[in-house]
Amino acid sequence: MRIVSGRWAGRDLTSPGGRVRPTAEAVREAWFDRLEGSLDGARVLDLFAGTGALGLEALSRGAARCDFVENGRGALHALKANVARFRLKGRTRIFRSDAFAFIEGIEDRPYDLCVADPPYTSSLAERVARIWFARPFSKILAIEHDEAVRLPNAPRGVRRNRIRVDRSAVTLYRAS
C-alpha cells in the first residue's frame, strides 16, 4: 500500500497484519480526486483510521492537519509508524478511541473534512452519517462502504454524491 498522489506520491505505508481491509489505491485516487478543491489547508478527521492511509493521502494533497481515531492495537502501531515515517508529528494527533465516543464529544464544527472507513460488514457507516446529520462535525463527510450498501439520503441543505470503484463506494455529504 502506498500514497497515491501529492507530495508523497508513491511512498509506501506500513500495514498491520491480521484482518485489515485497507482502502484500495484506485478507490483513494477517485475519492481524493473528487475532493481536490477542498483539501488545501483543510483540517481533517480520519475515523476508523487503520494505517492512516486516508488522512495521510489528504495531507499529501495539501491538507494542513489531521486527527486520526483508531482503537485497534495493530492498526495503531502501523499508524504511528506511518506518521513518524512522514515526519508529521506536529501536524497530526492520534486518538486511541472508539470512533463514536470521539465524535460524540466534538463541539461545533472543527473539521473541514471527515473521512471514514468503518468495517464493511457492519452498519457503522450509516450510524456515522446519522450522527453527522444531527450535528455536523465537519463541512464534508466522506464514508467508504460496500457498493451494495445505500447510505441515507441527505437532509435539506446537504448535498450528496456517490463515487463507485469496483465493489467499493464512497458517499460524500457536503453541508451548505
Side-chain angles (χ1 to χ4, degrees), residues 1-13 25 57 60 86:
M1 188 168 49
R2 63 190 175 91
I3 298 292
V4 176
S5 187
R7 180 178 179 186
W8 305 305
R11 295 212 26 211
D12 290 330
L13 295 170
E25 289 179 14
E57 188 74 40
S60 181
F86 292 98

Side-chain angles (χ1 to χ4, degrees), residues 148-159:
V149 171
R150 297 282 182 228
L151 291 185
N153 288 326
R156 177 176 284 202
V158 173
R159 290 184 321 217

